[in-house]
Amino acid sequence: MSKKYIVTSALPYANGILHIGHLAGSLLPADIFYRYLKFKGKDVIFICGDDEHGTPIEVAAQKEGKTPKEYCDKIHEERLKIFKKWNFSTFRWGTRWTRYSLWASLF
């Protein structure tokens, strides 16, 4: 059986837009490592997601007149656009609303 790899990074908090620190500090190194493993022909998957729990989410959502889920959905879509713009590898970016069965099916 061949070795399988899972690459992930720190989960950025979903109370605002990603900034260069998120990208350079955790997401870019994980993306580079993922690409390296793919280049070497390894069986690898890159998964990560938003940390959508806590008071800052509630406060940010209230400021925009949204529910926490509505707010997090908006942030999630904005982040996907950033990943596309920065040419991040195709990977699975989840939220706490992502169904467990989706994640479990990956393994």
Side-chain angles (χ1 to χ4, degrees), residues 13 53-63 66-68 71 96:
Y13 214 54
H53 299 278
T55 303
I57 301 298
E58 296 281 340
V59 170
Q62 285 178 356
K63 284 182 181 177
K66 299 178 186 276
T67 67
Y71 178 79
R96 71 175 166 168

Side-chain angles (χ1 to χ4, degrees), residues 11-14 18 48-53 72 75-77 79 83 93-96:
L11 303 176
Y13 214 54
L18 287 176
C48 198
D50 295 318
D51 180 350
E52 297 181 335
H53 299 278
C72 288
I75 293 296
H76 180 76
E77 290 304 316
R79 289 181 176 185
F83 298 142
W93 186 265
T95 70
R96 71 175 166 168

Side-chain angles (χ1 to χ4, degrees), residues 31-50:
D31 187 65
I32 291 169
F33 185 59
Y34 168 78
R35 289 174 190 243
Y36 169 77
L37 291 174
K38 289 296 273 185
F39 176 76
K40 296 298 254 178
K42 306 296 183 185
D43 185 5
V44 60
I45 186 170
F46 183 5
I47 60 172
C48 198
D50 295 318

